[in-house]
Amino acid sequence: MRFTPLNIASACLVAWFVMENPNDEKALFTWGAFIALMVLLTVVDILFRVLIKENKKMWMLQLVFLVVVCVASLIVKVTFA
């Protein structure tokens, strides 16, 4: 199995969610949202692997995808907070 930025992000997200969610009364994610996000990351990772065969190009596109998702999430959070 090849490591990709989406795999690394998924592992970090799982570790963060498991460590922080039980202790926080106002959690960032619900369990349903967390599972939906993990399924989305898995599907997108598989699509990138199928569509892009070159490893370096796949890494760059996945990093760009992660940055775009983070920026969009911050914009939504600031707009609706």
Side-chain angles (χ1 to χ4, degrees):
M1 182 168 114
R2 296 183 301 185
F3 287 113
T4 62
L6 289 175
N7 288 358
I8 296 166
S10 297
C12 291
L13 187 63
V14 167
W16 172 77
F17 186 76
V18 168
M19 294 301 292
E20 293 296 323
N21 197 39
N23 299 332
D24 194 8
E25 291 180 8
K26 188 177 179 186
L28 185 60
F29 296 123
T30 62
W31 278 100
F34 174 72
I35 292 170
L37 180 61
M38 293 307 297
V39 168
L40 176 71
L41 287 175
T42 303
V43 168
V44 170
D45 186 41
I46 291 170
L47 284 174
F48 274 117
R49 287 173 188 253
V50 169
L51 297 175
I52 302 166
K53 298 299 180 193
E54 187 181 337
N55 201 24
K56 185 176 181 179
K57 189 175 182 181
M58 181 178 60
W59 266 75
M60 289 304 294
L61 288 173
Q62 284 191 5
L63 286 172
V64 168
F65 174 77
L66 285 172
V67 169
V68 168
V69 168
C70 290
V71 169
S73 298
L74 288 173
I75 289 171
V76 168
K77 185 172 180 146
V78 167
T79 302
F80 295 110

